[in-house]
Amino acid sequence: MTQPHDEPTAASPEELREQVEQTRAELGETVQALTAKADLKTRAQEKATAVKEQATVKAGELKAKAADLKHQAQDKAPEPVRQKTAQGARVARDNRTLLLAATGAATLVWLACRRRKR
């Protein structure tokens, strides 16, 4: 930090006023910078927003890549495999409630068996 005697002296009252105004402006900028650094909540929110945006972009890239792989797999799969896959997907869609109930029941049985082992 500079000491007052290190700075040039003002030749006139007008120069002194200008130096005071310049020092005030610099001090104001310094205070604003320190306040921004000390505002952890805002910095955390900004970081969270940036991470969210990155995740959204990455998710979009992964989704596009998965769709591309799906199309490649569909193109290379033999016709009987494609038909069976489509039929399985259709049956699953048509019986969604039944599948969900069966999955829930299987999960409950698994949890009950797991608790007995303890």
Side-chain angles (χ1 to χ4, degrees):
M1 187 177 245
T2 60
Q3 298 296 324
H5 64 279
D6 292 343
E7 295 182 17
T9 56
S12 69
E14 187 59 36
E15 286 181 21
L16 182 60
R17 284 187 194 97
E18 288 176 16
Q19 287 177 359
V20 168
E21 285 302 315
Q22 182 178 358
T23 302
R24 282 183 183 157
E26 291 171 359
L27 182 60
E29 291 171 9
T30 302
V31 168
Q32 285 180 339
L34 289 173
T35 301
K37 279 188 173 185
D39 190 0
L40 297 179
K41 182 178 178 182
T42 301
R43 289 178 65 195
Q45 288 174 342
E46 289 171 353
K47 182 69 174 177
T49 301
V51 169
K52 183 179 177 183
E53 289 172 359
Q54 288 175 346
T56 302
V57 168
K58 193 66 169 175
E61 291 172 0
L62 291 174
K63 187 176 180 181
K65 196 175 211 178
D68 186 42
L69 288 173
K70 177 184 171 188
H71 291 298
Q72 286 179 4
Q74 285 176 345
D75 292 343
K76 292 180 181 179
E79 186 59 33
V81 172
R82 282 191 258 169
Q83 288 176 354
K84 287 291 184 183
T85 304
Q87 181 184 2
R90 203 169 29 257
V91 169
R93 270 194 309 272
D94 293 345
N95 298 300
R96 183 175 295 174
T97 305
L98 180 62
L99 285 172
L100 288 174
T103 303
T107 302
L108 290 175
V109 168
W110 177 73
L111 287 173
C113 291
R114 196 169 152 216
R115 283 190 179 176
R116 286 186 185 164
K117 289 180 182 181
R118 287 184 184 180

